[in-house]
Amino acid sequence: MANNYPSNDMQNKLNEIAASRARNLEKEVKRDTGKEYSCSPYVSFTSRTEAKVRITTVETGTSCSALYEITNDGRWYCRHDWND
């Protein structure tokens, strides 16, 4: 049976991107509100070339999501993002 997920390297890269986006969101919230919140990233791989990233603010449960896909040159590209 074929593996329907990206390579481990590509999975790790997207996990790093998600963690970075969560840290950036924490900084933006603090800058905009003066309050500190913790943001938790979650990545779900939907195929060999696509994945969904959800970042949730731990204290409020507010989340945002993004769809990512692997480009022809082997990089993750954010195709669409939105607030949940």
Side-chain angles (χ1 to χ4, degrees), residues 42-84:
Y42 175 76
V43 178
S44 59
F45 297 95
T46 55
S47 74
R48 286 190 66 74
T49 60
E50 294 183 335
K52 181 178 178 183
V53 172
R54 172 174 277 159
I55 299 173
T56 303
T57 304
V58 175
E59 293 79 0
T60 65
T62 304
S63 63
C64 59
S65 298
L67 291 176
Y68 279 82
E69 65 183 353
I70 298 175
T71 61
N72 288 338
D73 60 352
R75 295 182 296 147
W76 284 106
Y77 170 75
C78 181
R79 187 174 64 199
H80 179 69
D81 59 2
W82 67 91
N83 291 330
D84 293 336

Side-chain angles (χ1 to χ4, degrees), residues 21-54:
R21 285 190 69 166
R23 287 189 302 272
N24 289 340
L25 185 57
E26 289 172 343
K27 291 175 188 174
E28 289 176 27
V29 169
K30 182 167 176 130
R31 182 194 67 220
D32 293 347
T33 68
K35 298 178 183 179
E36 289 193 29
Y37 289 102
S38 299
C39 295
S40 176
Y42 175 76
V43 178
S44 59
F45 297 95
T46 55
S47 74
R48 286 190 66 74
T49 60
E50 294 183 335
K52 181 178 178 183
V53 172
R54 172 174 277 159

